[in-house]
Amino acid sequence: MSQSSNRIFFYFLFFFLFSSHLVFSQKSDTSQPWMNTKLSADERAAMVLKEMTIDEKIQMLHGTGMVGLSPMSPLAIHSNGGAGYVPGIPRLGIPALQMSDAAYGVRVSGENGRYSTALPSDIAGAATWDLAGAYEYGALIGRELRAQGYNMGLGGGVNLTREPRNGRTFEYMGEDPILAGKMVASAIKGLQDQHVIGDIKHYALNDQESGRNAVNVNIDKRAARESDLLAFEIGVLDSNVGAVMCSYNRVNGDYACENKYLLTDVLKNDWKFKGFVLTDWGGAHSTEKASAAGLDHEQPGWIFYGDELKKAVEAGKVPKSEFDDHVQRILRTMFATGVIDDPPQKSVVDVERGFEVARTLEEQAIVLLKNDHEQLPLAASKVHSIAIIGPHADVGMISGGGSAQVDPPAGNAILPPGKGQTRWLEPVWFPTSPLKSIRAKVPGATVQFDSGADPEKAASLAAKSDVAIVFAYQWESEDMDLPTLSLPENQDSLIAKVAAANPHTVVVLETGGPVTAPWAGQVSAILAAWFAGSKGSDAVANVLFGDVNPSAKLPVTFPHSDADLPHPTIVKPPRESIPDNTKPEPWKEIAAGLAPFQVTYDEGVKVGYKWYDAEKKPVLFPFGHGLSYTTYSYSNLKVEPGKTPRVTFTVKNTGKRSGAEVAEVYASLPASAAEPPKRLVGWSKMMLKPGESKEVTVEIEPKYLSIFNVEQNGWQLLPGEYGFMVGGSSQNLPLKQTVSLQ
Ligand code: BGC
């Protein structure tokens, strides 16, 4: 062949190969037309559904087991090591669902030889009142889930702090449904924008851990819709979340995971939720009843949604359309969130970026509760000696336990390196050392540590130091409630003794929620640092020394005592409502349904500050409270009524430092509504330089001013006089105006 015929030959060969490739790829496209990204998620899901066999459908509706909670399937070997695994359908191009717990970071990374950032706990996220920060919170978790090979995260806890002794208070977003709902929605958007399915949990009224698999919560519908369910409503509607996890408890007689009112009437019909409902782990109790109620997916096993479901479908006891709807919802969520078009690629977690996000979020989350005589910020140049006092404040800060637990690098900081594997119901100290971070701020000063085990010794160290900083803690975990809001381990008396020895005593609280503080009047400054995350101690030090001006506000009320709570004690389950863990398969007893015991939320809508306001009970630190190293003034309130009322006002930084202020807007409803005195209806967080003023307008969603009308099954704005109040805390509202709304 000549050179030119050569060229022609190769040209044709190339053309042939290339065009045949086109033909093949077109062929594969037409064989999986649901891979066409121009179609809607619903259309794509419907196409896949048509191709699926009954066994493939069943496989998609349950997990493959978890040791101790269900039988195990041999398929579980392909799990990525997270809490839930659902095999994919390779012949249809549908990937597996790899689910991991991820409340304040990705769980069980240690066990899986991986690393995760621990963010400040969820309630700390809520204390920022910063929607952009919440987005970043979710986005970081989404990125780390992807890097570890997961395409679904099980975070999004938004149960209201109705019972602050609930051991999971740290995993939730506080006591106000609008704050909690908006913050969780923003976090979910951040997470799902990474092409990871998010979930919102535990739906609903799972407000105590004691007897969670048996308790029956009694609450009237209006109160439920205006409180706990409103947090979920906002969370679901504002985020397009892919999944909702139904909770362990019963609500008004039916288990949440087979509760038609919750799952179908409210979630799927009223809120038009398009995603899927999955059980909490071991939260399923039936096949036909659950399916009819709207449960789509069982975890972690297949006690009810395996063979039992198949038999029920074949016998016509579960209608085919109902069965298909469960599958369609899972598929459409997978398409809608991008886990099919953009599956996760395993990579190394970006540790440095995680540190940065964890530290800056914690800096925004630390609430300055008290600061007498401008005790803080500490002037590094003027302080010569500091006493650091408190359990383990030399090595770490406490973290939240249970399925939210993030593994600390090198293990529990209070154990020798490498010996610190995290265990269920065992407190884990994160290696973020207050002592080290504070020493780094004042290299020339004497910084000494005392654990506080002997309060007299600690007090004598405090007496000879310029400043005493006590790191006090209250550990929390899933699977337990706190016996009391008092600090454990005699810390109240330790703090009182230190404060008596040194008038410059600062307390840093590492807690999952509110605590009582009988010593509050004796110390000069208090910071709520929550469970502070991977870089907690650096963030605390930055606030203590004024590198960061605190701007957080309380998402929960700190009461004076347990006696002031709506329920002075938590109702404990009787013996017959507790599973017998000595039996070989305790999940069977739970699945069959433990004997119910009753908890009645007769305080109804009066959750948190609404309770203390209505009952006229003074509190230690009110909801929305948080000081700054500068001061702000409020003026010029204008309320424009209308369909969406607009509340306009001016905030001025009247101090000497730049700062961010959260301006809070509350409303009182007409007397005919018979509601608590006020409710949060909006807020705005703004940065202000010294002397700077900003005019702000907050638009108020009519729903937030409404009552829930049970007869009409809808939100209703009652005509009448509405009071609008604006200021820097629920008990510091200098601006007030009443307007008439029709
Ligand atoms: C918790 C859930 C968690 C699940 C999977 C349950 O014990 O209540 O929040 O997502 O376990 O680990």
Side-chain angles (χ1 to χ4, degrees):
M1 269 198 278
S2 70
Q3 259 198 2
S4 67
S5 53
N6 242 347
R7 203 177 300 143
I8 290 166
F9 170 74
F10 282 115
Y11 175 76
F12 274 110
L13 181 67
F14 179 73
F15 182 73
F16 171 75
L17 289 174
F18 185 65
S19 57
S20 64
H21 170 76
L22 275 183
V23 171
F24 289 140
S25 63
Q26 263 168 18
K27 215 168 149 199
S28 74
D29 278 348
T30 49
S31 70
Q32 292 191 344
W34 49 86
M35 292 303 176
N36 180 352
T37 53
K38 295 203 175 72
L39 300 173
S40 73
D42 286 302
E43 288 168 322
R44 298 172 74 183
M47 288 172 164
V48 178
L49 186 70
K50 275 202 198 114
E51 304 293 321
M52 288 170 76
T53 65
I54 186 164
D55 290 323
E56 286 168 337
K57 290 177 184 175
I58 293 283
Q59 178 186 287
M60 190 166 274
L61 299 184
H62 64 79
T64 49
M66 185 186 247
V67 177
L69 278 186
S70 75
M72 295 297 294
S73 153
L75 292 174
I77 189 112
H78 303 293
S79 160
N80 191 41
Y85 167 63
V86 185
I89 309 167
R91 75 174 187 95
L92 301 176
I94 304 301
L97 281 174
Q98 299 281 6
M99 309 176 184
S100 176
D101 279 305
Y104 62 91
V106 182
R107 191 189 174 203
V108 289
S109 48
E111 209 168 296
N112 292 317
R114 304 174 192 142
Y115 168 87
S116 307
T117 303
L119 290 169
S121 55
D122 303 81
I123 197 167
T128 68
W129 296 55
D130 179 15
L131 294 173
Y135 182 93
E136 198 38 55
Y137 193 109
L140 179 121
I141 293 177
R143 284 195 299 272
E144 295 197 358
L145 282 165
R146 275 179 75 82
Q148 299 188 30
Y150 296 107
N151 57 10
M152 180 161 173
L154 306 168
V158 75
N159 296 88
L160 278 201
T161 310
R162 181 182 279 283
E163 172 45 78
R165 288 160 299 195
N166 177 351
R168 301 187 85 167
T169 300
F170 73 98
E171 280 189 65
Y172 301 140
M173 302 257 178
E175 68 192 27
D176 182 79
I178 295 173
L179 176 66
K182 288 180 100 56
M183 294 299 283
V184 84
S186 202
I188 294 291
K189 279 191 233 164
L191 183 126
Q192 292 200 156
D193 281 355
Q194 311 309 311
H195 298 161
V196 171
I197 300 171
D199 107 308
I200 288 186
K201 70 187 186 184
H202 309 87
Y203 185 65
L205 289 141
N206 184 183
D207 297 343
Q208 70 172 54
E209 286 294 281
S210 306
R212 62 183 181 169
N213 295 103
V215 62
N216 178 42
V217 168
N218 299 291
I219 186 166
D220 80 71
K221 277 188 185 162
R222 172 171 164 185
R225 293 296 296 257
E226 292 181 9
S227 59
D228 298 56
L229 296 197
L230 178 57
F232 282 93
E233 175 168 357
I234 297 169
V236 166
L237 289 175
D238 285 11
S239 71
N240 279 324
V241 68
V244 167
M245 185 190 290
C246 50
S247 55
Y248 285 131
N249 53 294
R250 297 168 163 104
V251 177
N252 292 336
D254 285 322
Y255 271 116
C257 290
E258 53 183 39
N259 192 308
K260 180 174 166 293
Y261 176 72
L262 287 178
L263 305 186
T264 297
D265 301 352
V266 177
L267 178 65
K268 292 184 176 177
N269 290 346
D270 289 358
W271 302 343
K272 314 256 175 306
F273 172 64
K274 294 214 162 17
F276 66 100
V277 177
L278 78 163
T279 62
D280 198 343
W281 267 229
H285 300 278
S286 62
T287 303
E288 287 158 44
K289 181 176 176 183
S291 173
L295 175 69
D296 299 305
H297 181 97
E298 178 184 1
Q299 278 291 346
W302 60 98
I303 302 176
F304 300 103
Y305 271 35
D307 288 349
E308 294 303 311
L309 181 57
K310 186 174 176 184
K311 275 190 257 159
V313 172
E314 283 170 347
K317 290 183 181 157
V318 166
K320 169 109 182 356
S321 58
E322 185 181 292
F323 174 58
D324 280 352
D325 182 58
H326 301 319
V327 184
Q328 164 86 16
R329 283 171 174 275
I330 296 170
L331 288 168
R332 79 117 12 226
T333 300
M334 294 178 81
F335 283 116
T337 48
V339 306
I340 294 178
D341 301 327
D342 182 22
Q345 306 294 328
K346 280 195 180 178
S347 61
V348 177
V349 164
D350 187 340
V351 180
E352 293 295 332
R353 191 171 176 189
F355 280 169
E356 183 67 16
V357 174
R359 183 181 51 73
T360 49
L361 282 173
E362 172 64 5
E363 287 168 353
Q364 284 193 67
I366 295 171
V367 187
L368 179 61
L369 294 172
K370 175 175 180 178
N371 194 20
D372 281 1
H373 315 299
E374 298 189 2
Q375 171 68 63
L376 297 177
L378 299 172
S381 57
K382 294 195 188 130
V383 184
H384 304 294
S385 54
I386 302 179
I388 306 290
I389 296 167
H392 312 303
D394 53 338
V395 290
M397 294 182 82
I398 194 72
S399 59
S403 59
Q405 182 72 60
V406 173
D407 291 335
N412 194 338
I414 62 170
L415 297 172
K419 298 271 183 242
Q421 196 187 345
T422 63
R423 285 189 196 85
W424 198 255
L425 289 180
E426 200 175 80
V428 173
W429 293 80
F430 236 79
T432 175
S433 154
L435 180 63
K436 278 192 197 154
S437 298
I438 289 170
R439 277 196 174 142
K441 289 286 179 197
V442 279
T446 310
V447 183
Q448 283 172 286
F449 167 71
D450 188 290
S451 74
D454 175 354
E456 302 302 335
K457 219 173 116 253
S460 70
L461 175 64
K464 57 181 189 199
S465 308
D466 291 346
V467 183
I469 308 176
V470 186
F471 286 82
Y473 84 100
Q474 166 83 279
W475 178 67
E476 278 182 9
S477 173
E478 175 183 344
D479 211 6
M480 62 164 239
D481 291 318
L482 298 171
T484 162
L485 293 180
S486 301
L487 293 171
E489 284 196 70
N490 268 329
Q491 293 176 91
D492 281 345
S493 96
L494 168 69
I495 297 169
K497 288 212 163 93
V498 171
N502 188 327
H504 302 288
T505 294
V506 177
V507 175
V508 179
L509 290 171
E510 303 168 35
T511 73
V515 287
T516 51
W519 37 261
Q522 292 154 258
V523 302
S524 52
I526 309 174
L527 293 177
W530 316 106
F531 297 154
S534 295
K535 283 283 159 190
S537 63
D538 286 354
V540 168
N542 285 343
V543 169
L544 287 171
F545 288 89
D547 305 82
V548 169
N549 186 359
S551 61
K553 300 280 174 106
L554 285 181
V556 282
T557 307
F558 277 46
H560 280 296
S561 79
D562 290 344
D564 291 338
L565 297 172
H567 303 273
T569 52
I570 289 188
V571 182
K572 294 283 180 191
R575 178 63 204 95
E576 64 274 18
S577 301
I578 302 171
D580 181 355
N581 283 326
T582 58
K583 289 198 182 141
E585 293 177 327
W587 67 78
K588 288 196 171 155
E589 222 187 328
I590 296 174
L594 293 160
F597 68 103
Q598 309 299 320
V599 168
T600 300
Y601 291 136
D602 44 14
E603 75 281 7
V605 76
K606 289 185 276 175
V607 176
Y609 63 93
K610 294 172 185 164
W611 165 258
Y612 303 105
D613 277 0
E615 302 292 315
K616 300 197 172 45
K617 282 182 194 283
V619 300
L620 178 60
F621 297 115
F623 174 82
H625 167 74
L627 303 171
S628 160
Y629 296 151
T630 187
T631 46
Y632 304 98
S633 72
Y634 285 76
S635 60
N636 291 336
L637 175 64
K638 285 179 288 233
V639 182
E640 295 164 61
K643 212 161 170 288
T644 307
R646 289 162 57 86
V647 178
T648 302
F649 51 92
T650 301
V651 186
K652 183 174 183 191
N653 181 342
T654 49
K656 296 194 185 72
R657 283 169 167 265
S658 291
E661 169 70 336
V662 178
E664 303 164 31
V665 183
Y666 294 81
S668 61
L669 271 59
S672 62
E675 288 282 313
K678 64 174 176 294
R679 52 165 79 163
L680 179 78
V681 290
W683 75 91
S684 171
K685 187 167 186 175
M686 73 214 78
M687 269 306 299
L688 291 167
K689 296 199 191 80
E692 193 186 0
S693 295
K694 271 189 191 155
E695 190 184 68
V696 190
T697 298
V698 180
E699 296 198 345
I700 313 295
E701 275 203 39
K703 188 190 289 178
Y704 301 168
L705 296 166
S706 300
I707 61 151
F708 191 82
N709 184 320
V710 175
E711 284 73 48
Q712 295 170 11
N713 191 46
W715 292 98
Q716 186 186 13
L717 189 87
L718 299 174
E721 300 289 296
Y722 287 75
F724 288 89
M725 293 152 269
V726 180
S729 130
S730 67
Q731 286 191 14
N732 182 8
L733 298 165
L735 307 181
K736 290 193 179 66
Q737 190 181 327
T738 302
V739 297
S740 191
L741 299 179
Q742 298 311 317

